[in-house]
Amino acid sequence: MNILILPGDGIGPEISKQLVKILKTCILYGYNINLIYNYIGGISIDKYNLPLIDNVLKICNESDSIILGCVGGYKWNNYPIKPEEGLLLLRKKLNFFANIRPIKCPFKNIDFLIIRELNGGIYYGKPKGISKQLINSIPTWYSYDTELYNEQEIIRLIKVGFNLSINRKKKITSIDKSNVLNSSKLWKKIVNYVSKQYNNIIVNHLYIDYATIELIKNFKNLDVVITNNIFGDIISDECSLLTGSLGMLPSVSLNNKSLCLFEPCHGSAPDIAGKNIANPIGMLLSLVMMLEYLFNNIYLSNKLFYSIYKVLSYGFCTFDMKKYINNFKLVNTDEFGDLVNYYFYYD
Ligand code: NAD
């Protein structure tokens, strides 16, 4: 298997290193894995003046799977081109339209999925820009973005949610703002239309404002949550509170071929980068998904999942988790990765 690793910026390299430890243990389990490293984000700007070059896109297309750390950082704040544009380009060019974010914590009996649309909406819609015009004869800055979706983009995302719910609790929660936005009115209409093609799946619609409360208060009622790009971005950060820390959430993005992009949900955490204190769990749980989806090995996937939670159950955690763990024993990123790898191999 050719696995491309794009560690990116900030804490990306530190957490990617922990994932690589486990992948190397998978080689001991008999897998033939070829790890390829390349650049995305700020580090790519430093090297090539671009956050993602064509050659990396080509290597992505030739790989069996892609693992991404995170992009962005203070250094590039005032650059004309931003590290985050590399990530948006990667998602768009490789057509990663569905982003699956499991919100799962065995300690608290939490288990639901957020399916976020990743290829459209306000992050890509045109026109967008910042300009100046005369308002009341005063030159005034104004800005605009466009929340743009077509029917096909919505249908393909919604179907991912419905198909996943078939083997779960058969409950869909669709989040929109259809009391105000046209794009959400179309979204809701299509959810109801698609639901007719699926028997016995219960559909519930929530407006995004109230959904932010329901997600925290009644998470036990949730199974599969489907939503657009921007709402999905925001609510998954919110839901990280349920599991303990933003560093805990993994994700996988799917395209219409078999290529998958695995990445944690958090950003590059520039405030803690380079200190070896970042929580690598979001990254390691992304590997849990890779072992299931790419390696097709449920045994190893479960083994890694329970190794991570075994380490936590013994009280070992990075600094961001300490208020959630009884009698915690603080460890750094490397030590946490080593502990997980130990239980993954020996237990
Ligand atoms: P962030 O997710 O990087 O950090 C928010 C807070 O959570 C910070 O205090 C950070 O230290 C903490 N945090 C995040 N991940 C952690 C981890 N694994 N362990 C411990 N603590 C962790 O969000 P931000 O501060 O809004 O953005 C920082 C940069 O990351 C920006 O440049 C932003 O554009 C970029 N970003 C990138 C991605 C991505 O690469 N997918 C996603 C979101 C933000």
Side-chain angles (χ1 to χ4, degrees):
M1 265 177 257
N2 290 313
I3 298 179
L4 174 63
I5 302 185
L6 302 170
D9 309 317
I11 61 170
E14 299 160 51
I15 55 172
S16 302
K17 195 174 144 198
Q18 311 317 315
L19 175 140
V20 169
K21 285 177 188 167
I22 310 282
L23 273 178
K24 288 192 172 157
T25 301
C26 290
I27 296 175
L28 301 179
Y29 277 117
Y31 281 99
N32 186 1
I33 299 169
N34 180 29
L35 298 178
I36 309 152
Y37 290 85
N38 223 307
Y39 303 103
I40 189 170
I43 190 162
S44 175
I45 296 179
D46 289 351
K47 216 168 159 52
Y48 304 113
N49 286 322
L50 286 171
L52 183 69
I53 60 168
D54 285 347
N55 190 43
V56 175
L57 277 172
K58 185 168 164 278
I59 297 170
C60 286
N61 267 318
E62 291 162 359
S63 307
D64 293 304
S65 197
I66 309 163
I67 292 166
L68 196 141
C70 35
V71 296
Y74 308 135
K75 177 177 176 187
W76 304 280
N77 274 355
N78 296 318
Y79 277 45
I81 185 155
K82 298 274 181 279
E84 291 79 357
E85 289 171 46
L87 182 55
L88 291 182
L89 194 66
L90 177 78
R91 290 170 177 169
K92 192 73 177 174
K93 287 274 182 188
L94 299 181
N95 211 7
F96 286 119
F97 68 90
N99 182 233
I100 303 173
R101 301 184 159 192
I103 315 291
K104 194 170 172 183
C105 175
F107 294 162
K108 299 186 193 164
N109 207 8
I110 299 172
D111 184 8
F112 65 94
L113 301 177
I114 296 176
I115 317 290
R116 167 190 173 194
E117 202 291 326
L118 207 59
N119 243 213
I122 201 162
Y123 291 0
Y124 295 98
K126 295 214 169 98
K128 60 163 71 216
I130 301 179
S131 311
K132 229 175 198 181
Q133 71 174 31
L134 288 179
I135 297 179
N136 301 329
S137 311
I138 303 164
T140 306
W141 284 106
Y142 73 104
S143 57
Y144 49 100
D145 295 283
T146 307
E147 171 72 1
L148 189 73
Y149 272 114
N150 68 50
E151 196 181 343
Q152 291 171 19
E153 288 171 325
I154 300 174
I155 289 177
R156 68 180 179 177
L157 186 278
I158 289 171
K159 284 193 165 174
V160 171
F162 275 85
N163 289 336
L164 284 168
S165 79
I166 290 173
N167 292 321
R168 295 179 54 96
K169 292 186 212 146
K170 298 186 169 52
K171 272 166 73 176
I172 291 275
T173 304
S174 174
I175 296 180
D176 63 48
K177 187 68 187 167
S178 54
N179 49 345
V180 179
L181 300 176
N182 285 321
S183 53
S184 280
K185 285 179 184 140
L186 181 64
W187 178 280
K188 189 170 185 174
K189 200 169 157 186
I190 294 175
V191 171
N192 288 333
Y193 171 75
V194 169
S195 73
K196 295 198 177 86
Q197 298 163 23
Y198 292 82
N199 286 331
N200 305 323
I201 293 185
I202 298 165
V203 179
N204 184 26
H205 297 275
L206 292 176
Y207 297 136
I208 179 64
D209 34 358
Y210 181 61
T212 58
I213 295 171
E214 274 291 294
L215 288 168
I216 299 295
K217 216 169 106 188
N218 289 321
F219 58 83
K220 294 219 161 92
N221 291 340
L222 300 171
D223 183 31
V224 176
V225 177
I226 50 176
T227 193
N228 70 5
N229 203 340
I230 187 166
F231 296 159
D233 193 1
I234 295 167
I235 62 167
S236 48
D237 269 24
E238 181 197 9
C239 289
S240 70
L241 282 179
L242 293 171
T243 57
S245 155
L246 188 50
M248 298 282 287
L249 296 190
S251 85
V252 58
S253 301
L254 313 176
N255 66 7
N256 45 7
K257 299 186 191 138
S258 58
L259 191 62
C260 294
L261 169 69
F262 296 90
E263 54 177 325
C265 294
H266 57 74
S268 61
D271 50 337
I272 58 164
K275 296 181 180 163
N276 192 23
I277 58 171
N279 185 341
I281 295 180
M283 190 54 138
L284 295 176
L285 288 173
S286 300
L287 182 54
V288 167
M289 287 200 279
M290 182 190 254
L291 291 172
E292 182 181 344
Y293 295 137
L294 179 72
F295 289 52
N296 227 345
N297 191 328
I298 296 283
Y299 168 74
L300 280 189
S301 173
N302 284 339
K303 195 165 163 50
L304 179 56
F305 184 82
Y306 288 106
S307 303
I308 294 166
Y309 277 92
K310 182 168 271 185
V311 173
L312 286 175
S313 69
Y314 290 154
F316 295 106
C317 66
T318 46
F319 82 102
D320 53 314
M321 291 293 289
K322 60 185 185 191
K323 54 179 176 285
Y324 304 100
I325 309 275
N326 291 333
N327 302 321
F328 69 86
K329 303 174 196 78
L330 208 55
V331 290
N332 63 34
T333 312
D334 258 329
E335 289 164 339
F336 195 93
D338 288 341
L339 283 164
V340 173
N341 197 25
Y342 175 86
Y343 290 114
F344 182 60
Y345 189 61
Y346 287 107
D347 222 19

